[in-house]
Amino acid sequence: MPESLEANLEAVRRTIGRSAARVERDPAEVLLVAVTKMFPVERIREAMAAGLRIFGENRVQEALPKIDEIGPVGVDWHLIGHLQTNKIKFIEGRFRMIQSIDGAALVEALDRRLRSPLDVLVEVNVAQEPQKTGVVPADLPTVAAAVNAAQHLRLRGLMTVAPMVADPEAVRPVFKGLRVLRDQTSQQLGTALPVLSMGMTDDYAVAVEEGATMLRLGRALFGPR
């Protein structure tokens, strides 16, 4: 196994530990989703050997051959990119979680196709960037209620992709905003929503301080694509 992956993972864990300590959190509450977009199966196997078990892919068509080669045992695959309705037929039995639910129509189509329960997150475009997917905060109650009412979907929490900025402190309000929206949604639905998937390579230290329970890291673990 390349030393760099182990060294990178150790550096990530140290950063998580420092961030968690600053806000008196247990770093064990923070799960790593290794983002394997554009990385080959060999790198995924190296990550598995280093103890990583959750892998995130952005596109169904890129994920399928990797999932089929590695198999489902001991690994959780998350779809973290936009799910097109024509790819829904490939989800069941392959993905453990869809992090990118972004509309009531997708909820309906997914629920209609599934035969077994699937964990999902609603993706919220907290910063309301026009080029990004995700529901705007005003539409969150409607979409969350649709997921909650679906027969086969289990709403576990919320996800966001923060704007790309030079200073990670600039996106702290985005992470704080997602946490507030999660708490409001949990209260409205009367159900626990434990997952906050927020924070990527450039801003994950701040995300941990604001309550992230899942970090989606590619470059921080694997190096440049």
Side-chain angles (χ1 to χ4, degrees), residues 4-136:
S4 59
L5 178 58
E6 280 192 330
N8 289 347
L9 180 56
E10 185 56 39
V12 163
R13 286 182 170 144
R14 281 198 302 271
T15 299
I16 292 170
R18 286 194 297 268
S19 292
R22 278 195 287 271
V23 291
E24 299 182 342
R25 289 187 68 196
D26 180 354
E29 295 172 358
V30 183
L31 296 177
L32 291 181
V33 179
V35 178
T36 49
K37 176 181 79 168
M38 293 171 64
F39 289 115
V41 166
E42 296 72 40
R43 300 305 307 279
I44 300 172
R45 292 197 191 281
E46 290 163 11
M48 291 170 66
L52 293 168
R53 288 290 175 270
I54 308 174
F55 298 101
E57 283 281 340
N58 283 60
R59 294 156 62 94
V60 172
Q61 56 268 46
E62 184 187 344
L64 292 180
K66 297 178 185 179
I67 294 172
D68 290 344
E69 185 168 341
I70 286 176
V73 179
V75 177
D76 289 344
W77 293 93
H78 290 198
L79 184 68
I80 60 175
H82 176 67
L83 174 58
Q84 298 168 299
T85 50
N86 66 346
K87 298 294 190 298
I88 285 174
K89 60 190 174 187
F90 299 115
I91 296 301
E92 192 153 29
R94 290 187 174 96
F95 289 94
R96 176 69 182 271
M97 177 179 276
I98 306 298
Q99 295 203 16
S100 48
I101 296 296
D102 59 4
L106 178 61
V107 170
E108 231 173 85
L110 192 53
D111 192 41
R112 205 163 46 237
R113 177 82 192 198
L114 294 173
R115 294 293 171 263
S116 52
L118 178 68
D119 289 346
V120 301
L121 306 179
V122 174
E123 179 181 359
V124 187
N125 187 348
V126 178
Q128 302 195 46
E129 296 180 275
Q131 77 277 19
K132 281 187 179 166
T133 56
V135 302
V136 295

